[in-house]
Amino acid sequence: MGKRVVVDPITRLEGHLAIDVELDDNNVVTKAKSKGMLFRGIELLLKDRNPLDAQRITQRICGVCPTAHCTASTLNLDSAFVVKGTKDTLAGAIPDNGRIIRNLILGSNYIQSHILHFYHLAALDYVDVTDVLQYTGKDPNLNQVKSFLGYALTDGKLDTTKVANLAPFWPRYGGLSKEVYKLPKEANIEATKHYVEALNMRRFAQEMLAVWGGHMPHNKGIVPGGATENVSVDKIADTLWKLNKLQKFINDVYIPDVLAVAGVYSEYFGIGAGYGNFLAYGAFELDTEADLTKRKRFLPQGIAEGLELGKLDPKKITESVKNSKFDGKTLHPEEGVTKPNHHKEGAYSWVKSPRYDGKVFEVGPLANQLVAYLSGVEQTKGLVDYALKALGNAPVTALNSVLGRHAARAIECKVVADQMANWLVELTKDPAGATHTPFDIPNESQGMGITSAPRGSLGHWITIKNHKIANYQAVVPTTWNAGPMDEKGQVGPFEKSLIGTKVANDKEPIELTRIIRSFDPCLACAIHVVTPKSSEKKKFIV
Ligand code: NFE
Ligand code: MG
């Protein structure tokens, strides 16, 4: 048995994830387990409720991507509900303005989420904020950071016994090592400035969402039948103003920073490869074709095995629970069950293992952008080719890596932001047009809502009986990526991407956390948070 290294919890991601790996004598990972540490319960909570509640309740799965759950649940209900007084499903009858408003709401969440991930979750793996102690200029944000770092100084020098005061900048693997944190001083200082600026940028994105969705999180704008808001010139102008600031930030700051990190840490193009199988449901509706596998989407739907593009067949999706803490067998989500069993023999995660055609697929911006690239989406193609050239003519296959995931996320952020400007212009065509179609809820029905969340392919499935939810299942991006080994012995994408990695220092395995963070995990989504041991309400003194 090799050396065991456990990282529990991995910080700077959403929720509670542990990784448990075995190293050989050369410190190379030979076995890896990805462990979701909390029970999910939202699906059980939906049973027997009014189907309309799904739009409200599933948004509570997660504070980062409630918009995506709102979108998936609404598409799900669109496909299960019918246009008032007819038998046609609502899915084919969404008015154009409603469709576009939905795109704007989801797009705002993408931009917020991708900026959040790069700057506030991942960048601290590469950027040494402590170089700001040497900053002598007048930038107020940098001087604030410098003064914050002052909590850990003794005689003007960083004192590693005091760094506990420096969260979220510390604790970190690699300490003060310049072999681990390799960016030059000026780049570290500049990136820290952008870290603070990015907070403000995220605010603009959230506000843009609120213009069309009422508020963020848990918007009320995307509903079965279309959208609740009407179009107005004020809303278009307000959104454009905010979007322009975000586009400038993405072009002048985010993309250059990702390329700068990629240039200095180029070995990470060779670290963290997954299976090379990618799955994308697609997102951002360009028409209202009722069948979601035929609907035209700005981010196209498809699967890529290596560089071979294929068509998605949602019937081929299953979830295995072999090593998950649930009873039951491998099922399609339409028939999925949620039967928790904390003490199940051999099970090591609360995450299920989604599979496509029995095989393991990775989801996320890399999957979306690779499918878009192979489908010939112009905007993506241009940016991917530009990035690969800027990185010394790297081949497309190099994207299957830690840096590939970061680059794809930045590219996705830009193409979505740029397209949002086009949608705003499109709204000026018929501002008085309807945004919503009235509907009936059938006595019995089934639905499917598939879209892409910021972290990748997200699907909701519903069965309605007696006008109530008889079964509801969500198969979530981080479930695809973080799931454990299945009954065929195939490990999940996180596990696959860790195996084969050489760790320089097994006490501070930063290679492993860099790999995991490149996926942008969200365990709240993957599992949903319910405390299994206690039903006691928390008490607060106000
Ligand atoms: Ni909780 Fe989520 C996104 C969804 S991820 S963040 O994006 O759906 O698994
Ligand atoms: Mg599920």
Side-chain angles (χ1 to χ4, degrees):
M1 171 130 175
K3 205 176 333 178
R4 187 173 170 208
V5 174
V6 179
V7 187
D8 178 14
I10 302 185
T11 56
R12 281 188 276 112
L13 52 77
E14 215 312 309
H16 194 155
L17 175 76
I19 53 166
D20 184 340
V21 306
E22 223 175 277
L23 305 180
D24 68 11
D25 293 342
N26 297 316
N27 267 7
V28 173
V29 178
T30 52
K31 288 185 187 157
K33 285 181 176 171
S34 151
K35 301 176 168 179
M37 307 298 276
L38 288 167
F39 171 54
R40 64 184 293 173
I42 297 264
E43 286 150 335
L44 296 175
L45 210 137
L46 282 157
K47 206 166 154 40
D48 292 331
R49 300 187 75 109
N50 183 328
L52 283 171
D53 288 353
Q55 190 269 15
R56 308 301 304 145
I57 291 175
T58 60
Q59 291 198 65
R60 269 71 185 175
I61 288 172
C62 176
V64 188
C65 72
T67 324
H69 287 288
C70 171
T71 304
S73 60
T74 299
L75 293 171
N76 192 16
L77 299 178
D78 280 348
S79 74
F81 293 176
V82 292
V83 178
K84 205 165 188 54
T86 76
K87 290 205 160 127
D88 295 336
T89 77
L90 202 50
I94 311 302
D96 274 344
N97 282 2
R99 171 181 63 79
I100 294 169
I101 290 174
R102 286 178 174 187
N103 289 347
L104 292 173
I105 293 174
L106 183 62
S108 303
N109 186 230
Y110 264 64
I111 299 174
Q112 188 281 132
S113 187
H114 287 357
I115 295 175
L116 156 75
H117 176 259
F118 184 69
Y119 284 99
H120 302 130
L121 301 179
L124 298 176
D125 284 344
Y126 306 95
V127 174
D128 184 1
V129 174
T130 64
D131 273 350
V132 172
L133 284 166
Q134 296 169 57
Y135 178 67
T136 52
K138 294 209 169 104
D139 183 273
N141 288 336
L142 282 173
N143 279 313
Q144 278 233 285
V145 174
K146 187 176 174 182
S147 129
F148 177 72
L149 295 171
Y151 286 122
L153 293 184
T154 300
D155 299 330
K157 284 232 162 70
L158 196 87
D159 179 344
T160 48
T161 65
K162 290 187 184 172
V163 287
N165 291 327
L166 297 189
F169 300 144
W170 218 286
R172 67 182 191 190
Y173 286 151
L176 290 166
S177 164
K178 287 291 174 193
E179 271 166 46
V180 174
Y181 296 97
K182 300 192 291 184
L183 285 172
K185 183 179 89 179
E186 293 69 28
N188 282 323
I189 292 173
E190 194 64 10
T192 307
K193 188 172 149 201
H194 300 159
Y195 177 102
V196 181
E197 261 176 59
L199 290 167
N200 239 340
M201 288 299 142
R202 286 170 53 203
R203 180 165 59 85
F204 286 126
Q206 305 283 45
E207 287 175 355
M208 209 162 62
L209 192 160
V211 168
W212 300 98
H215 49 75
M216 169 67 195
H218 311 145
N219 84 82
K220 295 184 173 79
I222 298 175
V223 290
T228 55
E229 284 294 314
N230 287 322
V231 176
S232 77
V233 173
D234 283 2
K235 285 178 200 153
I236 294 174
D238 188 2
T239 312
L240 263 180
W241 182 81
K242 292 179 169 106
L243 184 62
N244 283 342
K245 285 189 181 296
L246 286 159
Q247 285 175 290
K248 193 166 161 39
F249 181 81
I250 295 163
N251 292 339
D252 299 351
V253 179
Y254 180 14
I255 290 186
D257 278 352
V258 172
L259 291 177
V261 165
V264 173
Y265 292 88
S266 57
E267 69 275 20
Y268 277 85
F269 275 118
I271 295 177
Y275 283 92
N277 294 344
F278 299 98
L279 180 144
Y281 290 158
F284 302 107
E285 327 295 272
L286 300 181
D287 66 27
T288 55
E289 157 63 49
D291 180 346
L292 289 184
T293 63
K294 296 193 181 126
R295 189 175 281 190
K296 216 165 159 256
R297 293 180 148 173
F298 174 64
L299 296 182
Q301 188 174 91
I303 56 166
E305 294 182 74
L307 296 178
E308 196 175 318
L309 188 65
K311 204 174 139 35
L312 177 95
D313 176 3
K315 292 219 161 35
K316 293 186 178 169
I317 298 164
T318 53
E319 280 192 303
S320 154
V321 291
K322 172 77 171 99
N323 285 302
S324 314
K325 297 182 176 198
F326 297 95
D327 289 329
K329 51 181 185 185
T330 300
L331 290 168
H332 186 272
E334 221 164 67
E335 294 140 10
V337 291
T338 307
K339 252 179 125 180
N341 178 358
H342 193 8
H343 302 292
K344 183 170 150 184
E345 184 79 29
Y348 62 88
S349 179
W350 284 106
V351 181
K352 293 183 181 180
S353 308
R355 296 291 181 259
Y356 181 81
D357 205 11
K359 290 180 273 189
V360 188
F361 278 76
E362 176 177 334
V363 304
L366 173 56
N368 291 351
Q369 294 310 309
L370 203 63
V371 167
Y373 184 86
L374 297 173
S375 309
V377 174
E378 237 173 80
Q379 294 95 320
T380 293
K381 217 172 161 336
L383 283 163
V384 169
D385 288 338
Y386 166 81
L388 292 173
K389 197 160 166 230
L391 298 163
N393 289 321
V396 184
T397 45
L399 293 175
N400 182 11
S401 62
V402 166
L403 287 176
R405 293 188 190 100
H406 288 295
R409 198 172 285 110
I411 287 170
E412 183 165 277
C413 194
K414 176 169 167 55
V415 297
V416 168
D418 290 351
Q419 184 61 21
M420 281 175 65
N422 296 334
W423 286 322
L424 285 164
V425 171
E426 217 178 313
L427 280 183
T428 61
K429 275 194 212 153
D430 180 19
T435 59
H436 187 258
T437 303
F439 56 83
D440 291 321
I441 303 176
N443 185 33
E444 289 204 2
S445 190
Q446 283 207 311
M448 173 183 83
I450 52 174
T451 186
S452 181
R455 281 155 200 76
S457 298
L458 168 66
H460 286 198
W461 282 262
I462 190 171
T463 304
I464 299 174
K465 285 193 181 138
N466 298 323
H467 298 288
K468 289 188 189 156
I469 298 175
N471 194 17
Y472 203 99
Q473 287 290 322
V475 182
V476 176
T478 300
T479 315
W480 281 98
N481 291 338
M485 187 189 274
D486 61 23
E487 60 273 20
K488 289 190 198 162
Q490 302 179 109
V491 294
F494 281 8
E495 297 171 336
K496 175 77 176 171
S497 69
L498 292 169
I499 293 169
T501 306
K502 188 172 169 62
V503 173
N505 172 359
D506 59 60
K507 302 277 180 304
E508 310 213 3
I510 190 163
E511 298 85 355
L512 306 185
T513 51
R514 280 174 177 162
I515 290 172
I516 293 296
R517 288 199 186 100
S518 72
F519 286 91
D520 192 4
C522 173
L523 273 291
C525 272
I527 317 174
H528 316 343
V529 189
V530 171
T531 310
K533 285 199 190 121
S534 151
S535 59
E536 190 202 343
K537 303 252 186 332
K538 295 283 177 282
K539 291 177 188 139
F540 297 93
I541 298 167
V542 196

